[in-house]
Amino acid sequence: MKITIVAGARPNFIKIAPIIKAIEKKQNEGVNVSFRLVHTGQHYDKNLSDTFFEELNIPKPNSNLEVKSGSQAEQTGAIMVAFEKELQHNPCDLVLVVGDVNSTMACAIVAKKQNIKVAHVEAGIRSSDMTMPEEINRIVTDSITDYFFTTSTSASENLLKYGIDATNIHFVGNVMIDTLYQNLDRIFEPIFWTAFQLETGNYIILTLHRPSNVDEEQSLIQLLQGIDKLAGDKKVVFPIHPRTKAILGETNLELKNILFVEPQGYLNFMYLIKNSFAVITDSGGISEETTVLGIPCFTMRNNTERPETQSIGTNTLVGTSVENLKKDFEAFLKNGKKKCGIPELWDGKASERIIDILLEK
């Protein structure tokens, strides 16, 4: 079996690493399976791309489409044009896509139009928020996928509601957690750890990237000032994306607790998460890792495509206002961590299940 694996953005790199390891394990056992790794170039900043390949021991991509940035349509179209040529020159039996970024949808469409089977890892998750580009990517990708690999029973149920044949839906667990388990003994403190006098439990991690939170300067400033105030005696470590940094410009925010740092590699970032007091984020994926690590997570969104992180894990949806965040954070300070656990099959073996299933097809 020849598999083309697509990666385009930071979350993709984390998800493909254990899948590649699972394929290499089968190769070492003498199984006739090979892979070609295609990097679309959707994230091209070294800190958002190359670092992850190096840290997670992902082999150098066989091809880099180098599409870079642009509007949703420009980027998606550029990926489709480049990936069509890639498949024409390098035929395969299966295209494997992960997650919900533009690369995922674009490459799935191209593969199907060339009559190539598509496997979607992290299929079936839904936020029911059509203002999110990712939600559209998920729906389109799942509408043309052949093999669906889900992280939870709720994701599998979503697919059944869409009329997907149950025999093509495979609840395998979470490849993000595979990567976490495979690297927990390799994580290490970032270079600023000592300079900022960071210690286990004396800081909060903050991540913000959604346009609704970061694209308007004044609302972003108000949000940061509110978080700075509620942090109390805790430092707030904020790995800030270059685009967000540019929006703030040279504004003097007069923040007491927030420490701005560069985007972090995977091993540094997981160290920061594992040793933090709590996490405040607008990401969906981080709530999966905090759930496994037992770190309280406050997600500044009105919905989540990962409900298990809330019902079973450590995640709390707090909406998009600082007032709601303050209310829930103060409740946490008063009552302590909520009772939580680890979702079913988040055991570090999802990637092995995926490859076993594909080799049976």
Side-chain angles (χ1 to χ4, degrees):
M1 174 182 278
K2 294 182 179 179
I3 303 173
T4 292
I5 300 174
V6 175
R10 174 176 173 147
N12 290 173
F13 310 142
I14 301 169
K15 292 165 189 172
I16 64 166
I19 295 172
I20 289 173
K21 285 186 175 68
I23 294 174
E24 291 174 337
K25 181 180 178 183
K26 289 296 182 183
Q27 290 174 329
N28 291 335
E29 294 170 358
V31 177
N32 184 19
V33 58
S34 62
F35 69 91
R36 181 175 175 82
L37 178 58
V38 176
H39 182 357
T40 67
Q42 182 176 332
H43 274 178
Y44 53 92
D45 181 279
K46 183 174 176 64
N47 286 331
L48 297 176
S49 176
D50 290 1
T51 298
F52 284 78
F53 280 80
E54 295 161 6
E55 290 189 344
L56 300 178
N57 297 316
I58 302 170
K60 184 178 179 181
N62 299 97
S63 175
N64 190 326
L65 307 185
E66 298 184 341
V67 297
K68 300 190 177 179
S69 61
S71 70
Q72 293 282 332
E74 288 170 334
Q75 190 175 71
T76 301
I79 294 168
M80 292 178 72
V81 170
F83 191 60
E84 181 179 60
K85 295 175 182 175
E86 160 66 29
L87 288 183
Q88 288 170 348
H89 289 112
N90 300 282
C92 63
D93 302 306
L94 175 84
V95 169
L96 185 147
V97 296
V98 297
D100 52 22
V101 299
N102 290 340
S103 299
T104 301
M105 179 186 70
C107 293
I109 292 172
V110 170
K112 288 302 290 183
K113 289 197 172 186
Q114 293 197 31
N115 296 313
I116 299 171
K117 298 282 189 182
V118 172
H120 184 199
V121 175
E122 205 177 77
I125 64 173
R126 296 289 185 273
S127 67
S128 299
D129 182 356
M130 293 299 287
T131 67
M132 293 175 62
E134 298 94 333
E135 185 75 352
I136 297 166
N137 292 345
R138 294 170 194 136
I139 292 170
V140 173
T141 302
D142 283 340
S143 71
I144 55 176
T145 287
D146 297 283
Y147 309 122
F148 304 81
F149 296 104
T150 65
T151 59
S152 65
T153 54
S154 64
S156 297
E157 289 164 2
N158 288 337
L159 293 169
L160 290 172
K161 291 173 186 174
Y162 273 79
I164 303 299
D165 187 336
T167 60
N168 293 327
I169 302 171
H170 306 281
F171 170 36
V172 293
N174 194 330
V175 293
M176 287 275 280
I177 304 309
D178 292 8
T179 298
L180 179 62
Y181 282 137
Q182 289 173 9
N183 290 280
L184 266 180
D185 62 348
R186 300 178 62 236
I187 62 176
F188 61 98
E189 62 189 40
I191 57 173
F192 53 75
W193 179 269
T194 302
F196 286 160
Q197 298 181 313
L198 299 180
E199 298 175 358
T200 298
N202 81 334
Y203 64 92
I204 296 164
I205 290 292
L206 172 65
T207 78
L208 298 171
H209 75 283
R210 298 203 173 273
S212 57
N213 284 329
V214 303
D215 276 8
E216 206 285 306
E217 181 183 4
Q218 284 308 308
S219 61
L220 174 58
I221 290 171
Q222 291 173 6
L223 178 58
L224 291 176
Q225 289 172 337
I227 292 172
D228 187 68
K229 187 175 180 181
L230 70 81
D233 62 350
K234 298 284 189 297
K235 300 178 177 68
V236 180
V237 179
F238 181 20
I240 186 168
H241 191 283
R243 181 167 160 272
T244 306
K245 189 175 183 179
I247 291 170
L248 288 175
E250 301 299 321
T251 306
N252 183 8
L253 302 178
E254 298 182 355
L255 301 174
K256 182 180 71 170
N257 296 307
I258 295 180
L259 306 169
F260 294 92
V261 300
E262 295 296 313
Q264 298 297 295
Y266 181 80
L267 300 178
N268 283 157
F269 189 62
M270 283 303 107
Y271 187 94
L272 288 168
I273 294 287
K274 184 177 185 293
N275 291 283
S276 67
F277 177 70
V279 172
I280 299 172
T281 184
D282 59 9
S283 164
I286 289 175
S287 64
E288 296 175 318
E289 291 150 335
T290 56
T291 283
V292 170
L293 294 172
I295 301 298
C297 181
F298 299 86
T299 300
M300 297 199 67
R301 288 171 51 187
N302 293 316
N303 50 63
T304 179
E305 60 279 359
R306 297 166 172 86
E308 64 276 7
T309 65
Q310 193 176 13
S311 60
I312 300 171
T314 62
N315 189 27
T316 301
L317 279 184
V318 298
T320 58
S321 71
V322 175
E323 291 74 21
N324 284 346
L325 171 62
K326 183 173 182 289
K327 175 184 169 185
D328 286 317
F329 196 81
E330 287 178 348
F332 154 62
L333 293 177
K334 179 180 178 182
N335 302 319
K337 295 182 180 181
K338 67 178 184 179
K339 188 177 179 181
C340 61
I342 298 176
E344 184 182 1
L345 294 187
W346 288 23
D347 58 2
K349 299 177 181 178
S351 301
E352 294 178 19
R353 296 186 188 102
I354 289 168
I355 299 307
D356 283 341
I357 291 166
L358 287 177
L359 290 174
E360 292 171 359
K361 299 298 182 183

